[in-house]
Amino acid sequence: MKKPKGKKPGLPSREDVLAFIAEHPGQSGKREIARAFGLKGAAKIALKKLLKELTDDGVLVRHRKRLTKRGELPSVTVLTVHELSSDGDLVALPQQWDEDDLGDPPRVLVLDSKRPNAPKPGLGDRILARITEPPEPDAGFAYAARPMKLLEKKNPPVLGIFRAMPGGGRIIPVSKKQDEIVVDAIGAGKAKDGDLVEVEITKAGRHGLKRGRVKETLGNMDNEKAVSMIAIHAHEIPHVFPSEVLAAADAATEADWSRREDWRHIPFVTIDPADAKDHDDALYAEADPSSDNDGGFVLYVAIADVSYYVRPGSLLDKEALHRGNSVYFPDRVVPMLPERISNDLCSLKEGVDRPAMALRIILDKSGRKKSHSFHRVMIKSAAKLAYPEAQAAIDGDPSERSAPLLETVLKPLWACYDAMKKARDAREPLDLDLPERKILLKPDGTVDRVIVPDRLDAHRLVEECMIQANVAAAETLEKQRTPLVYRIHDTPSLQKLEALREFLTSIDLSFSKSGNLRPSHFNHILQRVAETEHADLVNQVILRSQSQAEYNPENIGHFGLNLRRYAHFTSPIRRYADLIVHRALVRALSLGAGELPSDAEATLKTVSEQISGTERRAMAAERDTIDRLISAFMADQIGASFTGRIAGVTSAGLFVKLSETGADGFVPISTLGDDYFIYDEASQSLIGERTSKGHRLGDNVEVRLIEAAPMAGALRFELLSEGVKRSQIDAKRSIRNARRRRGSRLADKGNRRNGRSQRKRS
């Protein structure tokens, strides 16, 4: 620390000391001040006296060996996360603050830590944080802070079912990992028996049940929307739009024609699920009239122009970023944008003028893209078709609505798709066959039945058109050197590949270790097992071996699609990532209002992490809801027998997926019989040490339903099928391998423990 310029050695004045401390907040102790002013010997004693006077007068406050001006925070301090700002940022207050003397405590903006494994605080948490200057001095924050350590995690509210009892009641948590909670009459409030409630823990001792109070009543469990509400609250999904956001949406008006081309003469069609309420993409294709592209096509893709209505930094934009994406449940949708925007102004409705970001692609007869261009346009959709309706028309059974479009619109689209299929097959993306089950509900919100919808060419056509548009968006923005958010998908990790290789060996399939890994290597395995008993199993195992796709401003390509560059562009109504790409295109091509701000690149990394997280949150909430609905559907079938397939093997037992409903349940290892079962990770099996009978991933089994816990979405089965007899040689080899791996893991654990001990000693 340098001595202040122009100061000769000598005792500084009170003003000099205070100025130095103000210029070096949190870094000023007696030693630093003495060094800065060149004080030695008796002068240091005089400085000590001066600092004591300033402290006694209340001008300075001592924090250990550091001094700060009264009313200022030290460089490292304890904060309590108090609230969320209007931008969705965490706001903290200092834990120690004398409001009677100093007034209201300063609001501190909590920033992300720069350390990769730093704590991520939430509302109510206490943190140790390093104080710094706020990024924007006029944003209403006196300080900013970066978390260093999570000191106390506030007990989050518990979601459960209220069961009335004399003098209060009990809360049965929806999670089986939580114990029941007792509430007295006051704590129960207005909750009625069977209500789904959010409970705040008020007392938790070492012995006995926790005590709490009902914080909020979310409705009765007989209500058709209660099951999805559990997931919404458990995963903290924002589902109620603030009034000011709704007001902003209601104030929006129809888009003007500024810098728009008139494409209303093009007979676009939307092809969506039959129950879709918003339509954000429309398609049209025709034979290319150009003489140098014989057999080629011109494909038009129009996407709702959300960027016109949702401007950067607006209330709508902040709420959309906070949500990240829409969340889809069997009984409802939690949208990213208010309905005035998503279902009205931005929805490409049939026969209505609507603004769009559009793409014109020239394809050759092999489906390879020759060129493309983006346009900001106004379109008028010729028809709203459902997937089965469009497919039926192509298959020779047109409806009254699709018949007039068959020759002029639908057949050219399908001809264009036939060409794109050739290019897709040549590209060889990962080709997994994983049928998706869909839950159909009764009017009261309970499960009617579970179906596997047909996979139609109409679905594949729309998907391939969207992929073409997404690639074109990424290519254009790269060429224009405009920052964007990519959709990236990394190659599988070496650890997952080795686990896959060991599993495939157990069913007599090989997977080469050499060469540059491509999706086609997995496809060759899938082709070998197609139409065999292992087909479903191998598809699932290969899926588990893949990395998870995410958003990132740095491109590594998309492994699964086998594409060098890929960005989500086609669903800005329901994904914030697509809205960013739209804004980037508006900026890159000078298309008018709603462009990506010039300083956006600095925040794209943080935004990408946030929306990747909201995507994972949505997937988890959707999965939990389906589990709860199916568990409730099966709750009255205790004791019934079902057929299924072993979908997972662990050292604790077996996960079984039922054939008819796709319901997942668990078979504890303790219920498998009187043999001692050993878990072999390589073959994904449990093997009886005495009998050599085993249960392996993919085995067809019969089970009996023993327990159903609808609120936890959990089923417990009893295995009725006997294990498959393995040869003594195979069984002994698997047992030997399992023990060797267990021994190796224990040795590694011991080595790590010894290493930590040595580091501590050194």
Side-chain angles (χ1 to χ4, degrees), residues 356-562:
M357 286 288 292
L359 174 65
R360 184 176 186 267
I361 307 175
I362 307 297
L363 301 164
D364 66 18
K365 62 183 179 181
S366 298
R368 291 183 173 85
K369 180 165 66 68
K370 293 169 65 71
S371 64
H372 71 266
S373 59
F374 281 93
H375 308 258
R376 210 168 195 182
V377 302
M378 191 72 76
I379 73 165
K380 181 184 288 187
S381 171
K384 177 186 72 173
L385 301 178
Y387 286 115
E389 186 179 13
Q391 187 67 55
I394 289 295
D395 293 342
D397 186 21
S399 66
E400 184 177 340
R401 179 163 44 188
S402 64
L405 302 168
L406 181 58
E407 296 296 329
T408 57
V409 178
L410 295 180
K411 284 188 176 180
L413 257 179
W414 253 258
C416 182
Y417 169 59
D418 287 339
M420 287 190 290
K421 275 196 300 185
K422 297 174 185 176
R424 182 186 186 279
D425 292 343
R427 193 176 80 239
E428 290 194 276
L430 185 60
D431 192 18
L432 292 168
D433 182 17
L434 298 166
E436 293 188 12
R437 289 174 169 81
K438 182 176 182 179
I439 294 180
L440 301 181
L441 301 180
K442 299 176 183 177
D444 64 358
T446 59
V447 176
D448 181 19
R449 63 189 190 278
V450 181
I451 64 170
V452 178
D454 292 333
R455 178 75 170 152
L456 306 173
D457 275 347
H459 294 101
R460 298 184 180 95
L461 180 152
V462 173
E463 288 173 5
E464 200 59 36
C465 291
M466 298 304 107
I467 290 172
Q468 291 281 354
N470 289 338
V471 171
E475 289 179 351
T476 295
L477 292 174
E478 275 195 5
K479 184 178 180 180
Q480 296 293 327
R481 300 182 182 276
T482 304
L484 73 148
V485 171
Y486 293 93
R487 181 66 167 179
I488 64 171
H489 183 221
D490 204 353
T491 55
S493 67
L494 293 176
Q495 182 180 4
K496 287 186 175 181
L497 284 176
E498 188 56 35
L500 173 64
R501 192 173 287 112
E502 288 186 350
F503 167 73
L504 292 174
T505 300
S506 73
I507 56 173
D508 299 323
L509 291 173
S510 60
F511 192 71
S512 175
K513 292 185 178 182
S514 60
N516 186 26
L517 185 66
R518 295 182 180 277
S520 58
H521 295 136
F522 296 103
N523 292 341
H524 294 158
I525 295 294
L526 294 170
Q527 291 164 8
R528 290 179 61 183
V529 299
E531 308 300 327
T532 72
E533 61 176 341
H534 298 305
D536 291 342
L537 169 63
V538 173
N539 272 271
Q540 289 288 346
V541 174
I542 288 180
L543 174 65
R544 294 176 191 175
S545 72
Q546 303 302 305
S547 301
Q548 187 168 27
E550 61 182 76
Y551 296 108
N552 201 307
E554 298 177 6
N555 185 32
I556 62 170
H558 197 293
F559 176 78
L561 293 175
N562 199 15

Side-chain angles (χ1 to χ4, degrees), residues 124-193:
D125 294 350
R126 283 197 315 123
I127 58 172
L128 183 67
R130 189 173 298 281
I131 300 298
T132 184
E133 295 283 339
E136 299 177 13
D138 298 326
F141 299 101
Y143 304 92
R146 294 194 184 275
M148 299 169 61
K149 185 177 182 181
L150 189 59
L151 300 177
E152 181 183 359
K153 189 78 175 173
K154 182 182 178 182
N155 285 328
V158 176
L159 210 63
I161 309 301
F162 176 74
R163 293 304 180 196
M165 299 176 65
R170 287 196 176 193
I171 309 300
I172 313 300
V174 299
S175 172
K176 296 189 74 174
K177 297 180 180 179
Q178 295 170 323
D179 295 326
E180 292 183 12
I181 301 165
V182 177
V183 294
D184 57 23
I186 297 176
K190 297 181 180 180
K192 300 182 180 64
D193 190 71

